């Protein structure tokens, strides 16, 4: 009798979880992302290893432009899923997020340069090349900035890097 009751309670919880997931997917389809996220988060609290739901959360946060939360969930799936499709999708999304982040840094650097804030522009360009060392156009930009500032030694170093690494 006790085993039967445990089975019934367990079955009821599973049914409830499935109903909540169905509702969460319905919310997503209706554009009610906040409500869907709430239910997915609640589900993850009861089954934290379900990578499929982590992936859904990542996409929901991406849709909301909550990049850091999306990145967190994509990374979880990438590092924990055994499903090759989930791993591949997560990797592609993480690469895209990182690429967009780099483009944002580069755009900010050019904005700072255009507004005369050379020191901040240099820092942003330096940050960009630390992650994108093959970007000779940014090295060239830095070379011209340093040349304009009269820092010949740094300018020559960056010009030399461009010459040594330019693609014909």
């Amino acid at each position: 009798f006790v085993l039967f009751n445990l089975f019934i309670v367990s079955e009821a919880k599973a049914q409830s979880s499935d109903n909540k997931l169905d509702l969460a997917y319905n919310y997503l389809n209706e554009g009610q992302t906040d409500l869907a996220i709430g239910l997915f988060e609640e589900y993850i609290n009861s089954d934290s290893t379900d990578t499929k739901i982590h992936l859904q959360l990542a996409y929901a946060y991406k849709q909301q432009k909550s990049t850091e939360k999306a990145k967190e969930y994509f990374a979880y799936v990438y590092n924990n899923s055994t499903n090759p499709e989930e791993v591949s999708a997560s990797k592609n999304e993480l690469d895209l997020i990182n690429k967009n982040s780099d483009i944002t840094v580069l755009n900010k650097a050019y904005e700072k340069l255009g507004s005369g804030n050379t020191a901040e522009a240099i820092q942003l360009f330096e940050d960009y090349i630390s992650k994108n060392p093959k970007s000779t156009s940014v090295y060239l930009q830095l070379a011209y900035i340093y040349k304009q500032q009269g820092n010949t030694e740094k300018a020559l170093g960056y010009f030399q890097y461009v010459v040594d690494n330019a693609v014909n």
Side-chain angles (χ1 to χ4, degrees), residues 15-16 27 34 41 46 49 63 76 96 105 119 149 159 163:
Q15 180 94 22
S16 174
Y27 284 148
D34 288 338
E41 292 277 6
S46 68
T49 62
Q63 184 178 349
Y76 178 88
L96 185 61
V105 167
Q149 289 183 333
F159 280 128
V163 169

Side-chain angles (χ1 to χ4, degrees), residues 53-123:
I53 303 305
H54 278 84
L55 190 58
Q56 288 302 318
L57 271 166
Y59 282 118
Y61 279 119
K62 179 183 175 188
Q63 184 178 349
Q64 282 191 324
K65 300 193 184 330
S66 297
T67 307
E68 288 307 310
K69 289 294 277 184
K71 197 173 178 179
E72 174 186 328
Y73 283 104
F74 283 129
Y76 178 88
V77 174
Y78 179 72
N79 292 317
N80 295 287
S81 180
T82 57
N83 179 322
E85 290 175 6
E86 289 179 357
V87 171
S88 177
S90 294
K91 182 183 183 327
N92 291 340
E93 291 295 336
L94 287 167
D95 289 347
L96 185 61
I97 288 170
N98 290 332
K99 182 178 179 181
N100 287 340
S101 175
D102 289 345
I103 289 169
T104 301
V105 167
L106 198 54
N107 287 339
K108 285 181 184 175
Y110 281 110
E111 284 175 21
K112 296 293 182 185
L113 188 61
S115 67
N117 194 337
T118 308
E120 280 189 54
I122 289 172
Q123 184 58 54

Side-chain angles (χ1 to χ4, degrees), residues 17-38:
S17 290
D18 288 346
N19 288 343
K20 285 184 179 180
L21 283 179
D22 287 343
L23 184 58
Y25 283 112
N26 286 338
Y27 284 148
L28 269 184
N29 293 334
E30 295 168 1
Q32 298 180 50
T33 310
D34 288 338
L35 294 173
I37 286 174

Side-chain angles (χ1 to χ4, degrees), residues 4-15:
F4 180 73
N5 281 341
L6 284 175
F7 176 76
I8 296 294
V9 169
S10 174
E11 219 23 61
K13 284 184 179 181
Q15 180 94 22

